[in-house]
Amino acid sequence: MMKNTFLSNKVLAVYSLFFMLLGTTISAQVGIGTVTPDPSSILDITSTTQGMLAPRLTTAQRLAIATPANGLMVFDTDVKTFYYYSSTSSVWIKMFGDADGRLKYKLIKSTDVLATVLAAEKAAGGGSKYLMDVNTYYEINGTINFDLPIDLNNAYISGIDANEDKLVRATGNLFDGATGGSLRNVTIVVSGGGKVFNLSGTAAQNIIIRDLVIANSSNVGSITGFGLVFVSIVQYVGNTTGIVYDSITKLLISNAAWFGNNAGTYEKLQGTFGLISKQGGFSEVNGTSVGFDVSSNPTITGDAVMETVVFTGTVSSGKYVNGYNPALYTGYFFNNKWNVRCAGIPTESDAVSTGDANLDYPVGFGATTVASTTPVKLAGITTSTNLFRFSTGGTDNKLIYLGSKRRYFRTAATFSFRSSVSGVGVFVFYLAKNGVVIGQSKVYCGVASSDVDAGTILSTVEMSTNDYLEVWLSRYSGTGDVLAVSMNLVVN
């Protein structure tokens, strides 16, 4: 009996000592992987081969935690980032990493082995190109030398600073394929005879190119068939050949800077375009280079605008603009679909449309118009010396508006004439639009056969494409016909 009591007391003493030591350990510092935890820490985990693994939960599991403690931290496997709980605002707060919480993100550094970091993309491209993952953001850090072309595949490629982040290809094309995407904040160099862009897509594909430097490349290349091409704030430096835009539904170019050390044709348009807008920037064209080329007569189904682009430089056999061929108007470059207002080249728009028709006979001669009380067109052979977005249609005393936008025109018609019979005749002169006299333009003139009278018609007329103006007349009183000595019709 005494033996059993002794054993029971001994066991009790051991348990008491265990729990006392356990309590002391828990309240003191704890070191894992170290016997000397940092004095400032309650828990010091040290390792050079392993990391610390936080609880991993789906978003639904995280949100299902009952009464989470303030500061509770988990890793959300759906969003692929850490969250901690704030009891003050009763919300889970995302802890952003390098990818800023993006689901599809990849960092490519200059120190990376490209075949490793882009192994999946190379496999997807069959080993002949890097087929980027759709909607994935590829961040460029440093200079990346590509050994194969890139198929954008509607991905995003961007650096942080174009001076530091570069895409380089020594031989062959850099961007190949039929898909678009987004390309930003990098410098591009393709020096070995290939093209920067060799893209041929469809109207369903869009590409955004902005904040780039394209430098020392043998050929900037071509973009064909896309629905939207948006090029903004791109510097072109020391390139041998420029870029060709072919059959783009919407082409938007903003603040492109072509420096004078580029060669060849900077920008060429061919094929069919829905609309074109080229705004700002400059083209410094020297020697035999060409700044902007539309000599293949691109078709514009909507509108084309080029404004506030500065054309400068010293050309020899080159040109600021290689215009439509043949030119519609002497000394001008574009067709009637374009609105152009740029330093260094002529302004071309419907707003500066003008036309004239001139009848001029020697003294003692004239053209006879048989007059009656019904208005008729003034007869005579006219010439035109100033026609811009106007035509005579090969007909005398006629000016046809060829601009694409409806607008109001100021018109002036001056004339001098005699009556064909003695006595006083009173005649009425008008402007006629599309063969119908404009009543408010009428001017009355009375004249005898031995006199020459003159008159002026001033009016404002609204005109749309293919509307035309003529000078007409009728007899108000008296007899005789009109012998017109001169007539000037001006529209602007």
Side-chain angles (χ1 to χ4, degrees):
M1 188 72 177
M2 289 179 60
K3 186 177 181 180
N4 289 339
T5 301
F6 173 78
L7 289 174
S8 297
N9 291 337
K10 188 175 181 179
V11 171
L12 181 60
V14 171
Y15 273 109
S16 298
L17 178 61
F18 171 77
F19 283 112
M20 182 178 66
L21 292 173
L22 179 62
T24 301
T25 303
I26 292 174
S27 63
Q29 291 177 277
V30 176
I32 299 176
T34 179
V35 296
T36 56
D38 190 279
S40 65
S41 69
I42 192 169
L43 174 64
D44 186 341
I45 305 174
T46 303
S47 177
T48 59
T49 58
Q50 296 171 300
M52 184 180 71
L53 194 59
R56 292 154 291 171
L57 290 75
T58 65
T59 300
Q61 290 169 337
R62 170 172 59 82
L63 296 176
I65 296 175
T67 317
N70 189 38
L72 184 69
M73 186 177 72
V74 300
F75 182 80
D76 191 311
T77 57
D78 288 337
V79 184
K80 295 181 175 59
T81 193
F82 288 94
Y83 279 82
Y84 70 91
Y85 189 78
S86 171
S87 60
T88 303
S89 53
S90 300
V91 294
W92 287 94
I93 298 176
K94 184 185 295 185
M95 299 167 63
F96 292 105
D98 285 344
D100 200 28
R102 289 189 62 89
L103 293 178
K104 304 187 75 173
Y105 168 84
K106 185 172 286 189
L107 175 64
I108 308 174
K109 298 181 292 185
S110 59
T111 55
D112 288 334
V113 176
L114 204 60
T116 300
V117 71
L118 293 180
E121 288 79 0
K122 186 174 182 179
S128 62
K129 63 181 179 180
Y130 293 103
L131 178 62
M132 301 315 229
D133 186 22
V134 64
N135 295 328
T136 295
Y137 172 46
Y138 294 87
E139 182 182 331
I140 304 301
N141 188 322
T143 298
I144 313 299
N145 291 280
F146 278 85
D147 57 330
L148 296 172
I150 301 168
D151 189 331
L152 266 173
N153 195 30
N154 294 304
Y156 309 87
I157 296 179
S158 178
I160 300 298
D161 183 351
N163 292 316
E164 299 292 334
D165 304 323
K166 302 178 181 180
L167 303 178
V168 177
R169 183 104 199 264
T171 304
N173 301 330
L174 181 58
F175 292 99
D176 249 331
T179 56
S182 179
L183 182 61
R184 311 183 186 209
N185 297 319
V186 293
T187 290
I188 296 176
V189 180
V190 179
S191 56
K195 298 179 179 180
V196 174
F197 302 108
N198 185 41
L199 303 175
S200 181
T202 66
Q205 294 296 325
N206 304 325
I207 186 168
I208 297 174
I209 303 167
R210 60 170 300 164
D211 303 308
L212 299 188
V213 178
I214 299 177
N216 304 316
S217 294
S218 51
N219 195 330
V220 180
S222 61
I223 302 177
T224 302
F226 278 63
L228 170 67
V229 176
F230 181 31
V231 182
S232 178
I233 315 179
V234 177
Q235 299 180 53
Y236 301 89
V237 183
N239 300 294
T240 304
T241 304
I243 187 167
V244 176
Y245 297 108
D246 188 347
S247 301
I248 310 295
T249 305
K250 294 179 176 65
L251 174 61
L252 309 178
I253 304 173
S254 173
N255 292 302
W258 289 89
F259 288 87
N261 56 4
N262 290 285
T265 297
Y266 295 174
E267 295 170 306
K268 182 174 182 178
L269 273 58
Q270 61 188 34
T272 300
F273 295 80
L275 64 84
I276 298 171
S277 175
K278 180 173 169 62
Q279 305 277 347
F282 62 86
S283 287
E284 185 181 8
V285 187
N286 293 321
T288 60
S289 296
V290 174
F292 198 75
D293 190 341
V294 289
S295 62
S296 57
N297 301 337
T299 299
I300 315 297
T301 59
D303 292 293
V305 175
M306 185 163 68
E307 288 192 341
T308 63
V309 179
V310 177
F311 286 89
T312 187
T314 305
V315 294
S316 53
S317 57
K319 300 177 180 179
Y320 288 166
V321 176
N322 193 12
Y324 278 72
N325 187 24
L328 272 69
Y329 310 103
T330 302
Y332 294 89
F333 300 123
F334 298 92
N335 69 10
N336 297 332
K337 286 288 189 176
W338 285 81
N339 289 281
V340 178
R341 187 170 60 89
C342 299
I345 62 174
T347 296
E348 301 186 44
S349 73
D350 291 348
V352 294
S353 302
T354 189
D356 68 338
N358 307 292
L359 182 153
D360 186 14
Y361 284 90
V363 176
F365 295 89
T368 300
T369 302
V370 177
S372 68
T373 56
T374 301
V376 294
K377 180 179 174 179
L378 179 70
I381 298 174
T382 58
T383 59
S384 296
T385 56
N386 297 291
L387 294 173
F388 181 74
R389 301 200 176 178
F390 270 89
S391 168
T392 65
T395 304
D396 294 311
N397 182 17
K398 190 173 191 177
L399 291 176
I400 308 167
Y401 175 52
L402 300 179
S404 60
K405 302 297 181 184
R406 184 176 63 185
R407 56 160 292 201
Y408 283 93
F409 287 90
R410 291 173 296 180
T411 62
T414 60
F415 49 86
S416 56
F417 70 101
R418 297 173 60 185
S419 174
S420 63
V421 299
S422 61
V424 176
V426 178
F427 299 92
V428 187
F429 289 80
Y430 314 81
L431 287 178
K433 173 183 170 182
N434 301 334
V436 179
V437 297
I438 302 172
Q440 63 269 31
S441 69
K442 66 179 68 170
V443 173
Y444 291 84
C445 296
V447 66
S449 62
S450 58
D451 298 327
V452 175
D453 197 7
T456 300
I457 303 172
L458 298 176
S459 187
T460 300
V461 181
E462 183 184 39
M463 300 183 73
S464 298
T465 306
N466 294 323
D467 283 348
Y468 61 90
L469 291 179
E470 300 164 321
V471 176
W472 285 35
L473 63 86
S474 65
R475 186 192 305 115
Y476 178 74
S477 63
T479 59
D481 300 321
V482 168
L483 182 69
V485 178
S486 68
M487 185 273 292
N488 274 316
L489 171 60
V490 177
V491 182
N492 56 31

